[in-house]
Amino acid sequence: MSYIRTVEPSEATGEVAELYAEDLEDLGYVADYTRVMSMNPEAFRAFEDLMRTIAPNLGKRRYELVTLAAAQALHSTHCRLAHGHKCLTFMDADELERIARDYHDAGLSEAEVAMMEYAEKISTEAHTITESDTARLRDLGFTDREIVDITLAAAARNYFSRAIQALGAAVDVPADVSDRLRGALLAPL
């Protein structure tokens, strides 16, 4: 359980009740990170709105690969599991397991690997990024808009992951993430 007192689902009203209802519809339960972040529902909605402005330009696959890489760099069990679960809507568990264990050796394109390396670098040592990092992405076919969106997606993952880690949100394991896949998602952490 988190370090703060959260609203029980049976006691939720207004925007908090709406956030909880969305989790129930999407996940079948109210995630602990939702309970924690709903203590400031306006900030939580602002984060969701930000993600909705970034993800479409990248596409679901690229957005989730960036998220997995940033979450790995942040040692975020929460986000590796939650976004691993989301990846199962567009890739099979075997491909996801290979990516989770070592995306460098998972059959990804050179562009996808470079994008994930860039997301990791943002999450661990953003101060060392230079023009050569973005030039590499551009040389691999990314537009400047896509480079900005990759950067924003990784940076936003840093915000959210660090917040839920700092507030002690419990880790939820989605029911359809097998033990084997969970092990792969968490192995690099």
Side-chain angles (χ1 to χ4, degrees):
M1 284 305 215
S2 70
Y3 306 141
I4 59 172
R5 292 183 197 102
T6 61
V7 176
E8 291 297 323
S10 62
E11 299 171 3
T13 61
E15 187 70 17
V16 174
E18 290 176 28
L19 289 165
Y20 286 11
E22 290 167 16
D23 266 15
L24 287 169
E25 183 177 324
D26 293 343
L27 303 172
Y29 60 92
V30 178
D32 202 52
Y33 62 81
T34 299
R35 291 175 62 145
V36 168
M37 296 304 280
S38 72
M39 294 304 295
N40 184 337
E42 298 82 10
F44 193 21
R45 286 290 190 208
F47 173 76
E48 290 177 327
D49 289 344
L50 176 62
M51 294 299 91
R52 279 191 280 277
T53 64
I54 296 167
N57 189 56
L58 289 175
K60 191 180 289 190
R61 180 179 175 88
R62 283 182 172 178
Y63 173 77
E64 292 300 342
L65 290 175
V66 166
T67 298
L68 287 175
Q72 178 176 323
L74 296 163
H75 304 280
S76 177
T77 302
H78 303 85
C79 295
R80 287 283 286 189
L81 290 171
H83 288 274
H85 176 256
K86 289 181 181 189
C87 286
L88 292 173
T89 65
F90 60 87
M91 72 174 66
D92 66 38
D94 290 338
E95 180 183 14
L96 178 55
E97 183 179 337
R98 289 190 306 278
I99 293 167
R101 289 198 184 281
D102 182 2
Y103 66 84
H104 295 96
D105 188 30
L108 297 176
S109 70
E110 184 180 357
E112 288 174 325
V113 170
M115 174 186 71
M116 292 179 79
E117 289 173 340
Y118 181 74
E120 277 192 296
K121 192 170 184 180
I122 289 168
S123 302
T124 57
E125 49 190 346
H127 66 283
T128 67
I129 290 178
T130 66
E131 187 174 356
S132 66
D133 294 297
T134 56
R136 179 172 182 229
L137 293 174
R138 196 176 297 111
D139 290 346
L140 290 168
F142 291 99
T143 66
D144 285 345
R145 168 66 191 264
E146 289 170 329
I147 294 168
V148 168
D149 286 338
I150 292 164
T151 304
L152 290 172
R157 181 57 39 207
N158 275 257
Y159 156 75
F160 195 80
S161 293
R162 291 176 193 277
I164 61 178
Q165 288 170 332
L167 294 169
V171 175
D172 298 301
V173 180
D176 58 346
V177 172
S178 69
D179 289 344
R180 181 181 167 131
L181 181 54
R182 182 175 65 233
L185 287 163
L186 302 182
L189 305 183

